[in-house]
Amino acid sequence: MRRLRRRIEFFQGTLDSTSEISEARIFDTTLRDGEQSPRTSFSYEDKREIAAILDDMGTHVIEAGFPVNSDAEFEAVQDIADAAANSTVCGLARVVDKDIEAALDSGVDLVHVFCSTSDVQLQDSMHTSRQEALERSVEAVERVTEAGVDCMYSPMDATRTDESFLIDVIEAVSDAGTDWINIPDTCGVATPRRFYDMVEAVCEHTDADVDVHTHDDFGLAAANALSGYEAGAAQAQVSVNGIGERAGNAAYEEVVMALESLYDVDTGIKTERITELARVVEEKSDIPVPANKPIVGDNAFSHESGIHAAGVIENADTFEPGVMTPEMVGATRELVLGKHTGTHSVRERLEDAGFEPTDAEVREVTRMVKDHGANKEQVTFERLKEFAKEVGVRREEVRA
Ligand code: MN
């Protein structure tokens, strides 16, 4: 695959080759936690389409759904598991027999069992005791591993769980043979430093691989996921456009691109399809992507202000990260015309349209663009061409 990665200076050195993260797998939960977004539901066809793109991109794990939920969900998970060529397909289950049997019957490669471990959830959600939760967790892991299927165990609400009880649970399910321990920050209360310490401590108490699941209640989901990798997690759970419960999960595009561009980790993912993937999930989830969303928002690679646009025309590294380009994610750079536009953008856009403006004409058209933009009116490319004609800018001769 063509490597688009670039080198760039950062404070005390070059942002390249000295990675603090050795292994970084991506577990996508768009079709499970993402679907649990308020007011979102994916059809069977939606799930198949999104899974096919994730699989083709080389996403390591696709959590396809919660098989016990309904016949339609079971069928979608089963068919995604059948169709996947690259990805490991995962199904979710509570520590309840019928959930685990449904997940096993669906033919997934990995069963993800979860059980609350924080006192608040044990008392007021599961209505059970710590001891009961621990026993049911061990039984669930044993059932999955006995079936010869890989198991991931999640102590739900781990970041609000009593530390010694959490370690007891982790040691017990590790002894029961779980392949993965997921550390979920279910309610989004972790900070990068605290989460680092927590993941590091968990790694010391298990031989299973560790993965993390972070939520964006304080806008820290991606930072916490990356902190998890730095502390020794091999994998993080993400969702496309960051959709999920409440404020959502760590965003697929943010975590993948931070790994690739800032940590110099080769995830093996076809990042050039990220923009297309984001558009498909935006449409199917009915959750609009904000314009200022990192990487996949409309403004992520757009420039309007005169200084920035002029710099970017000369060299995009002036006012973009440099280590991440629009091409790397299948997006395009855009010079937006409006109130803050300068003459460089106007000249560039006029020349693109085949005009040959003089400096005075560029200044005149720029004044018209700024006036128009100041009235909050959108300056489209068509409008720009009308301005150019009004001013009488000469067009290139059309050659035969
Ligand atoms: Mn979650």
Side-chain angles (χ1 to χ4, degrees):
M1 195 177 91
R2 189 165 54 109
R3 295 278 287 193
L4 297 162
R5 193 171 296 134
R6 321 256 314 274
R7 247 165 204 279
I8 200 113
E9 296 297 317
F10 177 77
F11 195 44
Q12 292 178 326
T14 302
L15 247 184
D16 186 30
S17 76
T18 45
S19 172
E20 298 111 359
I21 296 174
S22 51
E23 195 187 353
R25 293 163 49 91
I26 297 292
F27 177 116
D28 181 89
T29 187
T30 307
L31 301 178
R32 201 279 297 168
D33 204 321
E35 197 188 24
Q36 288 170 218
S37 299
R39 295 175 283 276
T40 288
S41 119
F42 294 125
S43 68
Y44 171 89
E45 290 78 16
D46 293 344
K47 285 203 162 202
R48 291 292 306 272
E49 185 177 343
I50 294 166
I53 302 172
L54 289 166
D55 178 44
D56 179 70
M57 288 173 71
T59 310
H60 303 88
V61 184
I62 298 171
E63 189 167 43
F66 201 172
V68 81
N69 176 278
S70 61
D71 290 346
E73 178 80 350
F74 180 90
E75 199 183 339
V77 174
Q78 186 174 47
D79 291 350
I80 289 167
D82 274 349
N86 304 303
S87 305
T88 293
V89 175
C90 173
L92 186 71
R94 293 170 295 181
V95 287
V96 169
D97 289 342
K98 66 175 189 223
D99 287 37
I100 295 167
E101 296 312 317
L104 291 171
D105 289 346
S106 74
V108 292
D109 314 293
L110 176 69
V111 174
H112 177 191
V113 293
F114 71 99
C115 180
S116 294
T117 50
S118 67
D119 288 334
V120 63
Q121 289 194 356
L122 286 172
Q123 282 157 27
D124 294 333
S125 172
M126 276 191 77
H127 308 289
T128 189
S129 65
R130 286 185 179 183
Q131 190 55 36
E132 170 85 10
L134 190 145
E135 285 166 11
R136 285 172 57 185
S137 295
V138 167
E139 284 165 17
V141 169
E142 284 173 349
R143 173 69 191 109
V144 175
T145 54
E146 278 163 13
V149 174
D150 279 0
C151 183
M152 171 179 282
Y153 175 80
S154 284
M156 185 154 71
D157 205 11
T159 46
R160 298 191 304 176
T161 296
D162 172 76
E163 186 178 345
S164 66
F165 179 58
L166 182 71
I167 299 301
D168 287 347
V169 172
I170 284 166
E171 289 181 342
V173 295
S174 299
D175 288 346
T178 193
D179 300 279
W180 288 89
I181 300 271
N182 168 245
I183 299 299
D185 181 28
T186 305
C187 295
V189 297
T191 63
R193 184 77 173 259
R194 290 184 195 135
F195 201 55
Y196 182 101
D197 291 344
M198 183 177 181
V199 172
E200 192 176 47
V202 167
C203 289
E204 284 166 10
H205 289 273
T206 183
D207 292 328
D209 290 315
V210 172
D211 122 323
V212 295
H213 175 104
T214 56
H215 274 277
D216 214 25
D217 296 73
F218 291 90
L220 295 173
N224 287 331
L226 292 160
S227 190
Y229 286 119
E230 288 186 9
Q235 184 169 280
Q237 301 195 356
V238 298
S239 67
V240 179
N241 301 339
I243 65 171
E245 300 267 12
R246 307 182 310 282
N249 293 75
Y252 183 107
E253 60 278 8
E254 294 172 19
V255 173
V256 169
M257 292 315 296
L259 288 167
E260 293 274 341
S261 293
L262 302 180
Y263 289 87
D264 197 36
V265 173
D266 184 0
T267 61
I269 286 175
K270 290 182 190 166
T271 61
E272 307 94 287
R273 293 194 72 183
I274 281 180
T275 300
E276 173 200 354
L277 174 67
R279 296 291 175 264
V280 170
V281 171
E282 179 180 34
E283 186 203 323
K284 307 293 184 196
S285 66
D286 280 322
I287 302 176
V289 173
N292 64 336
K293 180 96 176 143
I295 301 158
V296 296
D298 282 346
N299 290 354
F301 298 99
S302 295
H303 307 273
E304 180 180 314
S305 87
I307 294 168
H308 284 229
V312 165
I313 289 168
E314 202 165 319
N315 175 359
D317 288 1
T318 52
F319 291 101
E320 286 181 9
V323 283
M324 177 171 70
T325 63
E327 295 75 34
M328 289 167 79
V329 297
T332 47
R333 183 174 295 113
E334 195 188 356
L335 298 176
V336 176
L337 299 172
K339 180 184 169 186
H340 307 101
T341 292
T343 51
H344 286 80
S345 291
V346 169
R347 174 173 288 283
E348 174 100 350
R349 299 295 296 270
L350 287 175
E351 288 177 355
D352 285 350
F355 290 99
E356 293 179 327
T358 64
D359 289 351
E361 286 167 345
V362 168
R363 282 197 297 274
E364 180 60 13
V365 174
T366 303
R367 189 191 59 74
M368 295 166 88
V369 167
K370 289 168 84 84
D371 287 351
H372 203 69
N375 289 330
K376 296 203 173 204
E377 293 199 60
Q378 227 197 326
V379 186
T380 60
F381 198 42
E382 289 311 308
R383 182 54 58 90
L384 179 77
K385 288 193 272 189
E386 285 168 27
F387 291 158
K389 283 177 198 151
E390 271 179 54
V391 171
V393 182
R394 203 171 65 88
R395 288 196 93 141
E396 258 172 48
E397 298 295 322
V398 182
R399 294 177 197 94

